Amino acid sequence: MTTDSLDLRFAAACAIAREAGVLARKRFLERPRSQRPDMKGPQDFLTATDAEVEELIRRRLNGLFPEDSFFGEEGGGSFERDVWVVDPIDGTANFARGIPHFAISIAFVRDGRTEIGVVYNVMQAELYTAQRGRGALLNGEPIKVSGLADMRQATVEAGWSSRLPAKPYIDAVEKLKAGGANVRRAGSGTLGLAYVADGRIDAYCELHINSWDALAALLLIEEAGGWTNNFLGKDGLRSGNPVMGCTPELAEKLIAATGIAKEP
């Protein structure tokens, strides 16, 4: 794949994320307060907007790059050599309950390596972007991880997965707190990881997350000088994996506390 073709895909992903964000914001602001979302499973929310936003993104990308495959959280798809991996709304529970903390995630993967990552923080109009080897940006300005090394000063977001028993999560949180970290959970893995890239928090960890929630933001962290585990190892693209992104200085301490190693 030529640099020009990647540049074109990058520009398209940025524009499509913003367009999809306009739709998501409109639906969020007009949603009836009495609306009850559907449930895919325990604490796993679904709204009509998820499918609507995903279809917009799918249609735009397929129109521009018909040779690329597409996989979305809601509608599925296929994983070919070149694939767009999309979460139309990460933080659906927040969206459904009227909490303005959710994001659109668009990643482009070629030959098992993420080349483009775009995360749009819808309600804050914040566009996080990364193209491999070119750094990470927020609304066009360079961003870097915090560089924090002391766990006693660190803020760590510990994402929770309904696909796993509660005890390993509780144990990990206890170990993080015992190490002195301020532990939080805000309900969007995509934004949690993006905030690591931006230095707003120092680490994000989750014992299992799907690729559509993580890939775009993990590239942001890499390009912002951070440390990430090898999320795509052992077929993480299709099956998901544990995830961790943090400042390089905190990596060993977080591995010890969470059990999330470099290799899944």
Side-chain angles (χ1 to χ4, degrees), residues 1 4-20 55-70 82 84 106 108 116:
M1 179 173 291
D4 287 348
S5 66
L6 279 173
D7 289 347
L8 181 59
R9 283 169 171 80
F10 178 73
C14 294
I16 292 166
R18 286 193 182 277
E19 182 186 3
E55 180 54 30
L56 185 155
I57 297 170
R58 184 192 299 266
R59 190 168 64 249
R60 294 286 186 265
L61 289 172
N62 285 349
L64 290 168
F65 311 108
E67 69 277 20
D68 296 347
S69 63
F70 180 98
D82 293 332
W84 294 95
I106 302 175
F108 178 73
I116 293 167

Side-chain angles (χ1 to χ4, degrees), residues 52-128:
E52 188 180 11
V53 172
E54 181 171 301
E55 180 54 30
L56 185 155
I57 297 170
R58 184 192 299 266
R59 190 168 64 249
R60 294 286 186 265
L61 289 172
N62 285 349
L64 290 168
F65 311 108
E67 69 277 20
D68 296 347
S69 63
F70 180 98
F71 193 94
E73 179 182 13
E74 305 309 328
S78 62
F79 296 102
E80 308 299 336
R81 183 188 185 194
D82 293 332
V83 56
W84 294 95
V85 183
V86 171
D87 191 339
I89 297 180
D90 184 68
T92 303
N94 288 340
F95 180 99
R97 295 187 178 279
I99 300 169
H101 185 79
F102 55 89
I104 294 163
S105 176
I106 302 175
F108 178 73
V109 180
R110 186 178 196 235
D111 289 334
R113 187 171 84 156
T114 307
E115 297 288 347
I116 293 167
V118 174
V119 172
Y120 190 55
N121 183 357
V122 174
M123 301 308 290
Q124 302 300 321
E126 292 179 332
L127 186 69
Y128 289 96

